[in-house]
Each structure stands twice: as structure tokens, then as C-alpha cells.
Amino acid sequence: MTFKRSVAFGILGTTALALMLAGTPALAVDQTRHPSADSDAAYGPQKLVDKAASVAVEFQRDRGEAGIMSRARGMYIVPEYGKAGFIIGGKGGAGVVTVRHGGMWTPPAFYNFGGLSIGAQIGAQGGSIIFLLMNAKAVNAFRGGSKFALTANAGLSVVTYSTDGQANLGKADVILLTNTRGAYAGATIEASNVGVDGGRMRDFYGHPVNQNALLDGRVAPTPGSMILTRVLPR
């Protein structure tokens, strides 16, 4: 009886060990399907919209910034750039564009950019940023399917908001707001390789959506999109 029990336990132990070894590769493969919290893939399109809404609320707490936001024709809101979060290839950022039609804002169109140059700084340390699109010329820059730049060399007048530079704001096509107070006042700003983020657009709406249909207000709002549009100035 003792010999039989030893053999039985030996068989059971060998079988359990084989199952454990066989399961190890499967476990490793399964783990690769779940991106880390710091990776770009960890942030889905709804998360990006939610963060954009939080940034819009934050900036409107400043009376001066709230006033200039209320005059914007559209906004390109980038919740995080140049640091872990909604980043592309270790630099740049991802954000959403919404356009005002009357008193209503369009559901978001998703765009990313490859890099940001602010004065002498290339790939700045990071933060939240809003590009206020002050006229149709600025909005139209987002209509093409090709990559473009938000820079004076692309025919746009781009200035950074500051309480000391109010005279230049009325002439700008694009006004930049950042939550890094005062660091970029008067600096030259360039966002390069701006383009449509088709993957996030498809994931958010459940099917491919043309960016111009969104910018023109021809796409019905979704409950997820209204998290952003409801907090923007009327």
C-alpha cells in the first residue's frame, strides 16, 4: 500500500508540474496584451476626451483665459504633451479638436502631433496645452488629410497668451494656452507633424468618421462626447 501511494503521488506531482510549465508561456503572452499605465496604448479615446474636459475646466478658472476661450472658433486640446500619457513615440502629444457652431460645440475629432518646439526648447518638459483656433483659417488647417504644422511658416499667426501681450491677441489665428504659467511668454511656438488620429476616431465612434464631417457639425453627439462639449464656453 505504501509503494502504491508513492507511485500515485509521484504521478500526480509530475502531472501538476507539467501543467504549470505548459501554462507559463500562455501567461506571458496574456500579459503582453495589457499595456502599462504609462504607455500610449493604455489611454483610450474616451479617456482622452475626459482628460480634455478636465483641462478645459481648469483653464476657465482663470478669468482672462476664460474670456479668450469664449471668443475662440475652435479648440485643439492636448491634455498632456512631452511626458508619460497621451504621447506619440516619446514626444509630441494627442488631443481633440472641437469647433463652435452657433452656441454648440462639435463632437471631438482626434489629432496627434509629432513634436513641439517652444522658443529654444525642443520637446518641452510637459504639461497641458490648448490651441485656440480664433478664425476659419485656423480651423481649416485641420481639414486636410496630410500632416501639417501650427507655425508661422505654415501661414498662421501663432501667439502665446499672456496678460502682458493683449495687443497681439486680436491679430492671432491661433492662441496658445498652457498651464505652465509664464514659462513661454513671447516665445515662438511650433507644433509639427499634426495629423488625424484615425485609430482613436474609429474606436470612439465605432466606425471610421471623416474629420471634416466632425468639424462641420455633421456628426451627432454621443454621450461620451458631451462630457467635453458641455463644459466649454457658450
Side-chain angles (χ1 to χ4, degrees):
M1 291 295 291
T2 302
F3 175 75
K4 290 182 179 180
R5 284 178 184 171
S6 299
V7 171
F9 283 127
I11 293 173
L12 288 172
T14 303
T15 304
L17 178 62
L19 289 171
M20 288 174 64
L21 292 174
T24 300
L27 177 61
V29 170
D30 182 66
Q31 286 175 334
T32 63
R33 296 173 186 166
H34 304 285
S36 71
D38 291 332
S39 72
D40 184 64
Y43 295 91
Q46 186 62 62
K47 177 80 169 182
L48 182 56
V49 172
D50 294 348
K51 291 281 287 184
S54 297
V55 170
V57 170
E58 175 194 341
F59 279 89
Q60 288 179 88
R61 293 194 179 106
D62 181 283
R63 182 175 297 181
E65 292 177 354
I68 203 73
M69 288 173 71
S70 69
R71 292 161 45 193
R73 179 80 173 268
M75 298 185 193
Y76 178 28
I77 305 174
V78 179
E80 297 177 359
Y81 69 89
K83 62 179 181 179
F86 306 100
I87 61 176
I88 308 299
K91 62 178 182 177
V96 296
V97 173
T98 179
V99 178
R100 189 203 309 263
H101 291 279
M104 305 295 292
W105 292 88
T106 63
F110 293 80
Y111 289 80
N112 54 52
F113 61 85
L116 187 70
S117 172
I118 305 179
Q121 302 184 52
I122 307 297
Q125 294 179 351
S128 301
I129 193 169
I130 301 179
F131 296 89
L132 298 180
L133 314 178
M134 303 307 294
N135 51 38
K137 180 181 179 182
V139 172
N140 288 340
F142 288 84
R143 292 186 178 279
S146 303
K147 299 279 187 178
F148 64 96
L150 290 173
T151 170
N153 292 334
L156 293 170
S157 172
V158 184
V159 301
T160 307
Y161 172 83
S162 71
T163 55
D164 298 329
Q166 298 292 320
N168 295 325
L169 298 182
K171 304 173 184 178
D173 299 314
V174 179
I175 298 174
L176 181 139
L177 304 178
T178 175
N179 61 0
T180 308
R181 304 296 179 189
Y184 309 135
T188 301
I189 305 148
E190 295 183 355
S192 59
N193 295 319
V194 183
V196 175
D197 191 340
R200 279 194 175 97
M201 204 106 76
R202 182 178 58 253
D203 291 346
F204 187 75
Y205 292 102
H207 54 84
V209 178
N210 181 272
Q211 73 273 13
N212 292 338
L214 286 162
L215 300 179
D216 290 339
R218 292 184 278 119
V219 176
T222 65
S225 71
M226 288 188 287
I227 292 173
L228 171 62
T229 57
R230 283 176 175 170
V231 302
L232 298 177
R234 299 299 176 190

